[in-house]
Amino acid sequence: MPSPAADPTALPGRPAPPRRRWGKVAQALLAGAAGVALTAVFFTVLWWPRSDVTYRSSAPSSVTYEDDSEHHLGLVHEHTLSGRHSYRLVIGRDPGLSYGHWVGVDTDLGADGIESTTWTTAGVRVRFPTGHEVFVPAKFFLYGR
């Protein structure tokens, strides 16, 4: 048994207190927390969407709307590093297509792109190479919606 002089936590005439194992528990907790954090970062990067605008169209100057703004349409392709793909039409006043009225498009349609757009005062008609058409009434994309 070590002498009390060798252990600074021991009191004279009493045995030294048992050593605590909190150091190993704390290390295990820190390692677990670091593992959870790295896993979260990994999945965030893996599923983080990237967007590409694969088609753009703007309403011609001959078509004017109630809100007296220029309107733009874009087919936005979102994809992740994990391989997920999705497409949506974005129609609105923002030429950067960061906001506006969104319409989800089937992945097979979006992958083929857009054949044409026809702007009228009633709305915009989008034609796909497959023969499918989507008509979006103007009331859904006017006034910054």
Side-chain angles (χ1 to χ4, degrees):
M1 181 164 149
S3 70
D7 187 355
T9 60
L11 296 173
R14 295 191 178 166
R19 292 186 174 248
R20 294 187 178 153
R21 294 186 178 251
W22 289 107
K24 291 186 180 191
V25 172
Q27 286 177 347
L29 289 174
L30 284 174
V36 168
L38 285 174
T39 301
V41 167
F42 173 76
F43 280 107
T44 299
V45 167
L46 190 62
W47 290 92
W48 193 267
R50 291 180 300 139
S51 298
D52 297 317
V53 178
T54 60
Y55 179 87
R56 288 182 184 272
S57 176
S58 296
S61 58
S62 60
V63 178
T64 57
Y65 294 104
E66 298 172 9
D67 62 357
D68 293 324
S69 296
E70 291 182 17
H71 291 86
H72 309 277
L73 176 142
L75 180 64
V76 179
H77 174 206
E78 283 195 344
H79 48 100
T80 64
L81 294 174
S82 68
R84 283 187 342 184
H85 293 271
S86 64
Y87 291 87
R88 69 174 185 250
L89 290 174
V90 180
I91 310 160
R93 298 187 306 185
D94 179 28
L97 304 171
S98 62
Y99 70 91
H101 181 70
W102 293 5
V103 178
V105 175
D106 184 77
T107 305
D108 293 333
L109 284 178
D112 290 340
I114 292 176
E115 186 175 296
S116 66
T117 54
T118 305
W119 294 84
T120 65
T121 55
V124 61
R125 182 173 306 280
V126 179
R127 288 184 182 87
F128 294 90
T130 58
H132 292 85
E133 293 185 358
V134 174
F135 179 76
V136 181
K139 69 180 181 180
F140 291 114
F141 59 82
L142 294 180
Y143 300 103
R145 289 186 210 146

